[in-house]
Amino acid sequence: MFSPEVGKVLKNLIYVSLGYGYIYLLGYVFHFFVSRKLGTAGYGEFMVLYSLVMVVGNLTALVGTITVKSVVENFEQKEGVLRYLRGFSLIFGGGVVVIGLISSPFIQQFLKISYLPYVWLVVITWLFMFMVAVERGYLQANSRFGLVAFQSSLELTLRLLIAVALFYLGFNIFGAIFPSTLSIFISVIILLGINRKFFGYMKAIPIKKMFRVALYASPSGFFTYADDLFIRRIFDEHTAGLFASASIVGKAFIWLSLTLFSVFFPRLIEKRASPKEFKRLSFLAFAVVVLIFVTGEVLLLLIGERLFLFLFGDKFIQGFEFLPYYVIAVLPLALTLIFIGVSVSIERNLLLIYTHVLVFYAGFLLVNFSGVMDYMLYIFLVNVFFLVVYLFKLFRL
């Protein structure tokens, strides 16, 4: 029924989906716990900080992408590639941390964060994320998806346990942010122990080539949490918290889509010289995303309200009113993120991708939104426009 290549991808999709199910559940429990402890205003500020971790920290995805691509293309020298990219991640990540610390007072003021050390904690987290990206990228390139899923699940388990302990010790927003920092640091130690290969030659990857891959990979990290990053600038603190509760549930569909796409990515790199197979895998990835969102929307309409109230409590009930619309609003965004991943595998459409980033962020900074529905309509319309352009490009391959 399926070609051997598609069958292999479907097998890995099932493997990764099982691991993600546990991660998905833990993420819900974590945000359920944090939102109830902090209330709407505190949860809104936490989501700004969390989004700062993810938006800038997701630049680390470019290092992970470089790792996967470099290992697949130099598989006989993969250990040397791993050693080289470990050094690169430390130097590059260290530079990002220095810039973040210098600019932290401006970040605090611009995003309306209450306490400067919260920003410092976020900045330190970025360094560990760079290191984790290399180690997980190496496992991914070796098709060890089960191990990646298990280790990611362990990281989120630790994050939840640390958060519970800190909240019961009396910490509030610090108790919500610091668990991410500590659990990612522990992941660095565990992954280094799994991959090892500390000593030996290093296979240098040309900086020009890494820079080119990074140019393609880096925009995707800016998209997913862009809407949460500005909510305290655009809405009052109560509305910001309500929107954050809806968005964190809706983003689960985006993250599931991107997680499953990680199965497709190495195969797309391998099949880029075969247009027919490449398009087949690309459209299979798009179909998986649509299926995720349609199934999720139906489940939300059937049982979503009860689950949402169980997770967040009665004070967040208005947040659920936004949720079905939010899921629809971000479906085009999820599909464009898949297209960006496809573009990375063949190193095309760079100007279009960066135009999309600039237009998307310009709206958050320049448009005067009258309410949450206008905000979501903007997210939907901008990404529908670019999705049409992206699909046209893909059909012309």
Side-chain angles (χ1 to χ4, degrees):
M1 182 177 179
F2 299 110
S3 69
E5 186 64 36
V6 172
K8 184 178 180 180
V9 168
L10 291 176
K11 180 180 178 181
N12 282 330
L13 283 175
I14 294 171
Y15 209 19
V16 173
S17 297
L18 292 174
Y20 185 83
Y22 180 69
I23 293 171
Y24 185 68
L25 176 62
L26 279 183
Y28 261 137
V29 173
F30 175 77
H31 284 276
F32 146 72
F33 182 76
V34 169
S35 64
R36 285 178 175 266
K37 290 293 182 181
L38 296 180
T40 54
Y43 186 64
E45 180 169 1
F46 161 72
M47 278 303 297
V48 172
L49 290 163
Y50 186 73
S51 299
L52 187 59
V53 171
M54 301 308 294
V55 168
V56 181
N58 267 332
L59 284 174
T60 62
L62 67 90
V63 178
T65 302
I66 289 170
T67 302
V68 174
K69 203 167 189 297
S70 299
V71 170
V72 171
E73 293 176 346
N74 302 274
F75 202 73
E76 292 182 357
Q77 299 172 294
K78 60 182 180 179
E79 295 175 4
V81 171
L82 173 62
R83 296 185 191 99
Y84 181 81
L85 291 178
R86 279 173 174 164
F88 174 79
S89 70
L90 281 173
I91 295 171
F92 187 78
V96 172
V97 168
V98 170
I99 293 171
L101 291 175
I102 292 172
S103 59
S104 58
F106 169 76
I107 294 172
Q108 179 199 11
Q109 184 178 16
F110 184 74
L111 297 179
K112 297 185 178 180
I113 296 168
S114 61
Y115 189 45
L116 182 58
Y118 293 156
V119 182
W120 297 342
L121 197 58
V122 168
V123 171
I124 292 169
T125 306
W126 295 340
L127 176 61
F128 301 143
M129 292 178 74
F130 276 104
M131 299 171 70
V132 164
V134 171
E135 304 302 325
R136 284 185 182 154
Y138 182 74
L139 292 175
Q140 181 183 334
N142 284 277
S143 296
R144 301 180 70 182
F145 295 104
L147 186 55
V148 171
F150 175 77
Q151 195 282 316
S152 300
S153 301
L154 178 61
E155 179 183 306
L156 293 190
T157 302
L158 288 172
R159 184 183 70 168
L160 175 61
L161 294 176
I162 295 166
V164 170
L166 289 178
F167 271 107
Y168 280 110
L169 289 173
F171 294 98
N172 292 314
I173 293 178
F174 175 84
I177 291 294
F178 181 69
S180 294
T181 307
L182 183 56
S183 61
I184 293 172
F185 172 73
I186 294 171
S187 288
V188 172
I189 304 302
I190 292 173
L191 287 167
L192 286 172
I194 292 172
N195 289 331
R196 301 186 181 184
K197 312 295 189 298
F198 301 112
F199 305 107
Y201 74 97
M202 291 191 293
K203 166 64 177 175
I205 306 299
I207 296 296
K208 182 178 179 180
K209 182 174 180 62
M210 286 198 294
F211 181 70
R212 181 172 177 79
V213 175
L215 282 175
Y216 281 95
S218 58
S220 61
F222 286 104
F223 282 107
T224 308
Y225 283 90
D227 53 359
D228 284 320
L229 191 60
F230 300 103
I231 53 177
R232 282 178 65 89
R233 286 183 58 83
I234 295 173
F235 305 121
D236 63 84
E237 61 181 19
H238 177 67
T239 304
L242 294 174
F243 180 85
S245 66
S247 71
I248 199 62
V249 176
K251 282 178 176 56
F253 302 126
I254 298 178
W255 282 115
L256 176 57
S257 301
L258 294 178
T259 300
L260 297 185
F261 181 72
S262 69
V263 175
F264 289 89
F265 186 67
R267 306 284 78 79
L268 287 168
I269 295 173
E270 293 176 359
K271 298 298 179 181
R272 59 188 176 181
S274 176
K276 184 177 180 180
E277 191 68 21
F278 184 87
K279 286 184 180 180
R280 183 182 302 170
L281 287 171
S282 298
F283 285 111
L284 179 58
F286 282 115
V288 168
V289 173
V290 173
L291 179 62
I292 289 169
F293 273 78
V294 171
T295 303
E297 186 77 0
V298 171
L299 290 175
L300 284 175
L301 295 175
L302 292 176
I303 61 171
E305 185 173 1
R306 282 175 289 176
L307 178 61
F308 194 89
L309 285 174
F310 174 74
L311 289 172
F312 294 100
D314 292 339
K315 56 190 173 184
F316 284 89
I317 185 59
Q318 281 184 278
F320 179 76
E321 296 175 9
F322 302 143
L323 181 55
Y325 299 101
Y326 183 82
V327 171
I328 295 171
V330 297
L331 171 58
L333 173 60
L335 291 170
T336 60
L337 289 173
I338 298 303
F339 180 86
I340 290 173
V342 171
S343 296
V344 172
S345 69
I346 54 174
E347 299 183 11
R348 293 189 185 180
N349 305 309
L350 187 62
L351 179 61
L352 176 60
I353 293 169
Y354 275 88
T355 301
H356 186 184
V357 173
L358 291 174
V359 170
F360 196 43
Y361 271 75
F364 292 125
L365 296 172
L366 300 176
V367 175
N368 184 21
F369 299 100
S370 61
V372 172
M373 297 304 292
D374 281 355
Y375 196 62
M376 291 189 290
L377 181 61
Y378 168 75
I379 294 169
F380 178 80
L381 291 177
V382 169
N383 290 297
V384 162
F385 172 79
F386 279 97
L387 178 60
V388 172
V389 179
Y390 287 148
L391 289 174
F392 175 75
K393 290 280 190 179
L394 184 58
F395 275 115
R396 293 187 64 186
L397 286 177

